[in-house]
Amino acid sequence: MSVAPPPPSKRDKGAPPAAADTFGALPGSTAPIRDTPLNFRVAKTFRRDFKIAAARLGISQVELLERLFAKIGEINEL
């Protein structure tokens, strides 16, 4: 009884896409390009509540943050 040979390697995937094609929204989307990270620490309970709030609204956490920031800008006339 002989052992089947391993499948051929799939390492030849071609050239990677240009950086401009990989950042931000999907192709054809009108969403803004998001290519700059915003990193800061928050309490675990805040993180959980923030994730739950975004999920309940059916939006991403980034979109929730952007909406909240826009609302604060309206209130404080930023």
Side-chain angles (χ1 to χ4, degrees):
M1 176 183 254
S2 65
V3 177
S9 176
K10 295 182 180 181
R11 293 183 189 258
D12 187 22
K13 296 182 181 179
D21 296 336
T22 60
F23 287 123
L26 295 173
S29 175
T30 59
I33 294 176
R34 296 179 176 127
D35 61 354
T36 306
L38 180 63
N39 297 317
F40 49 90
R41 296 198 178 269
V42 295
K44 286 182 180 181
T45 55
F46 177 83
R47 180 177 181 262
R48 184 192 67 227
D49 294 343
F50 194 80
K51 288 180 80 167
I52 290 170
R56 284 185 178 162
L57 293 171
I59 59 176
S60 71
Q61 293 177 59
V62 172
E63 188 174 351
L64 176 59
L65 180 63
E66 289 172 343
R67 287 184 183 186
L68 291 171
F69 188 76
K71 195 63 160 176
I72 293 293
E74 291 173 9
I75 293 170
N76 294 320
E77 299 175 7
L78 292 176

